[in-house]
Amino acid sequence: MLNLIADVQLGIGFNKLENAAVALDSLLLHHQDELGAENSIGMAALQGLNFLNLGMYEQAGKAGENLVNVLQGSVPFEDLYSFVFIEKVGRALANVPKPYLERPDEDIAVPLRAETAGRGKHIYIPLEVNGITKDYIFDTGCSFGNFVSEKYAEETGLKIVADSIPVSGMKIGFVKLATADSLKIGELVYHNPVFMVAPPDREVDSLFTFDGVLGYQFIRDAGEIIIDNEAGKFVFPKKASDGEPNIYLSSNTPQVRINYNGHPFDLIFDTGNVKTDLGNKFAQTFPDALDGLAERTTSRGGFGGISQTQAVVLPEFRFEVAGSTVTLYDTEIIKNPESGSQLFSGSLGADFVLSFKRLVINYQNMFVRGE
C-alpha cells in the first residue's frame, strides 16, 4: 500500500500521469480498508483530477459525482467545491476529445512581451483562436486549461459547454467552461483546448483587464519552453533537454526547490504572479530575515476581487536554484494571509523569470534552469 501511495505521489508530482493512474486504481480497488475513509477520499480526489489531466473526462465526471454524493451535506461548500469542479468539468467535456499538441519537427519561436502591471510585470505570449490573435499572460500558476474574459470568449466565438463551475481565486467564485477546435502559437497547434470564462469584475477590471491566460495543459504538453529575455522571444525546442528535477506538481501547480541561506525551501512557481512574494511559512522558517523590517499594508488582486494584508519588505532576496544565484529586490513577506492559519510558502513570480537572460521550463523532466 505504501509503495502504491509513493507511486501515486511521484507520478502526479513528476508528470507521469499514466503511472499514477495505475497505482490509484490498485489502491482504491484493494486497499481502502487499510487507507481508511479520509485517505480513501483523498486518493479518490487525486484520481478524479488525474482523469481530467489525462483527458478521460467521462471517468472524471463519475469520480467527482461519487465524491460529492458521499460528502454533500456533511462538509461545508469550501471543502466540497474542488470535487464539484471535477464532476462538472468532467460531465461537460465527456464528449470532447482530449487535447494534444501538433508541431513541426523544428524549433519554434514567437515574440515575448513584458508589460508593467501594478507592483510588477506580466509576461505575454501571442496566441490565435478562431483566426483572432491576442496576447495571453503566460501563467504556470493557472492550474487547469486557460483562463479568459467573457468579452474575449464572445469575440472569438468560444463554445460554452457549462456554467457555474466553482474555482478558487481571492475567494471561491463561478466561471463558465468553453472549448475551441484549436489554439495556435506560431506553428504549434494545440487541439481541443479548454477555457475557463471569467465574468466581469468591476473592482478588478478597473485596475487591470486581460484577454486570456495560458495555463497548465498547454505548458505541460509543450514539454519544454525557453524564455529568452535577451532576444525577446519564447522558444519551443523540437527536443527537450535533460536536467535534474527541481520542480514538482501539486494540484497542477509547480513547486520549485530553492536553497536559501544554506537550507532547501519550496516555493510555488507562478509566472502569472507579477512579482515574487513570500509567506508566513517563510517567515517562520527564516525569522532572522525579518529582523528590523517595518510592516506595511499591501494589496493582492485576482479572480474574485482585491484584498489588503500586512507585509514586510525584504530589500534583497538572494537564493540559489539549479546552481544559479538569483537576487530579487523589494520582495514582500506576507505575514498574515487571508487563509488564516494555513501556512503559505510564497510564490516566485515574473521578476524571477525576467532576472535571467534565458530560463528553461521543462515539464518533461521537471526542472527549471536559468542563465
Side-chain angles (χ1 to χ4, degrees):
M1 182 195 72
L2 293 175
N3 282 336
L4 287 170
I5 291 173
D7 287 344
V8 168
Q9 298 293 357
L10 291 168
I12 288 172
F14 293 98
N15 198 26
K16 307 295 182 185
L17 304 183
E18 291 81 5
N19 295 356
V22 172
L24 282 162
D25 284 344
S26 294
L27 269 177
L28 292 170
L29 189 61
H30 302 297
H31 296 283
Q32 288 202 41
D33 288 343
E34 295 166 82
L35 283 168
E38 188 174 338
N39 287 327
S40 293
I41 288 170
M43 289 296 157
L46 286 177
Q47 185 181 52
L49 182 60
N50 203 51
F51 280 144
L52 284 185
N53 290 337
L54 286 166
M56 299 170 67
Y57 298 130
E58 186 175 357
Q59 294 92 324
K62 291 177 180 176
E65 181 184 14
N66 291 337
L67 284 163
V68 171
N69 288 340
V70 167
L71 296 171
Q72 202 163 26
S74 61
V75 299
F77 185 73
E78 290 77 12
D79 296 331
L80 191 68
Y81 83 90
S82 59
F83 307 145
V84 176
F85 174 89
I86 293 170
E87 178 190 12
K88 288 197 167 189
V89 171
R91 282 179 170 278
L93 298 176
N95 296 316
V96 176
K98 70 178 183 180
Y100 67 95
L101 182 63
E102 182 182 6
R103 57 170 302 156
D105 188 26
E106 59 186 24
D107 293 356
I108 303 298
V110 298
L112 176 153
R113 179 169 64 88
E115 189 172 288
T116 299
R119 59 193 179 88
K121 291 187 176 182
H122 275 315
I123 299 167
Y124 291 94
I125 184 169
L127 188 148
E128 179 188 333
V129 177
N130 292 339
I132 297 173
T133 300
K134 296 282 189 179
D135 283 347
Y136 272 46
I137 297 167
F138 179 80
D139 188 359
T140 55
C142 179
S143 60
F144 187 78
N146 310 292
F147 204 76
V148 299
S149 69
E150 198 169 83
K151 180 182 177 183
Y152 169 87
E154 292 172 357
E155 181 184 352
T156 54
L158 297 184
K159 181 183 178 183
I160 304 295
V161 295
D163 58 15
S164 302
I165 305 291
V167 296
S168 179
M170 302 301 291
K171 59 185 179 182
I172 297 171
F174 295 90
V175 300
K176 295 176 182 177
L177 187 70
T179 61
D181 289 337
S182 65
L183 63 80
K184 296 180 181 179
I185 297 177
E187 296 175 70
L188 304 174
V189 181
Y190 194 60
H191 297 272
N192 311 314
V194 178
F195 302 85
M196 304 291 166
V197 182
D201 185 316
R202 286 184 181 179
E203 185 180 23
V204 176
D205 293 347
S206 65
L207 298 176
F208 170 71
T209 58
F210 74 102
D211 289 306
V213 174
L214 181 67
Y216 162 73
Q217 287 171 308
F218 175 85
I219 295 171
R220 173 199 69 196
D221 290 346
E224 178 170 302
I225 301 172
I226 301 170
I227 297 178
D228 190 333
N229 294 306
E230 201 168 49
K233 61 185 179 181
F234 290 89
V235 179
F236 300 87
K238 64 179 180 180
K239 183 180 178 182
S241 53
D242 293 326
E244 287 296 313
N246 63 356
I247 58 174
Y248 64 94
L249 294 166
S250 176
S251 299
N252 292 351
T253 303
Q255 316 274 326
V256 62
R257 172 66 52 88
I258 70 164
N259 191 287
Y260 178 74
N261 278 357
H263 299 280
F265 192 74
D266 295 350
L267 291 168
I268 296 167
F269 178 42
D270 181 4
T271 59
N273 185 3
V274 297
K275 196 174 192 305
T276 296
D277 50 31
L278 301 168
N280 50 2
K281 184 175 182 180
F282 180 88
Q284 289 187 17
T285 307
F286 305 106
D288 292 350
L290 281 70
D291 286 350
L293 301 180
E295 284 196 9
R296 73 179 187 187
T297 301
T298 184
S299 296
R300 290 293 184 276
F303 175 72
I306 295 171
S307 67
Q308 292 190 328
T309 188
Q310 295 301 114
V312 297
V313 179
L314 190 62
E316 287 192 1
F317 176 36
R318 183 178 288 109
F319 58 93
E320 291 184 359
V321 61
S324 295
T325 299
V326 180
T327 304
L328 304 179
Y329 299 94
D330 298 328
T331 304
E332 291 182 339
I333 304 173
I334 305 166
K335 298 177 67 177
N336 298 300
E338 284 194 343
S339 53
S341 60
Q342 184 178 355
L343 289 177
F344 168 64
S345 59
S347 168
L348 289 177
D351 55 337
F352 168 74
V353 175
L354 297 171
S355 69
F356 294 96
K357 290 181 179 178
R358 278 171 292 278
L359 181 71
V360 178
I361 302 172
N362 184 305
Y363 273 44
Q364 182 168 306
N365 297 309
M366 297 304 295
F367 68 86
V368 293
R369 182 175 63 219
E371 60 177 82

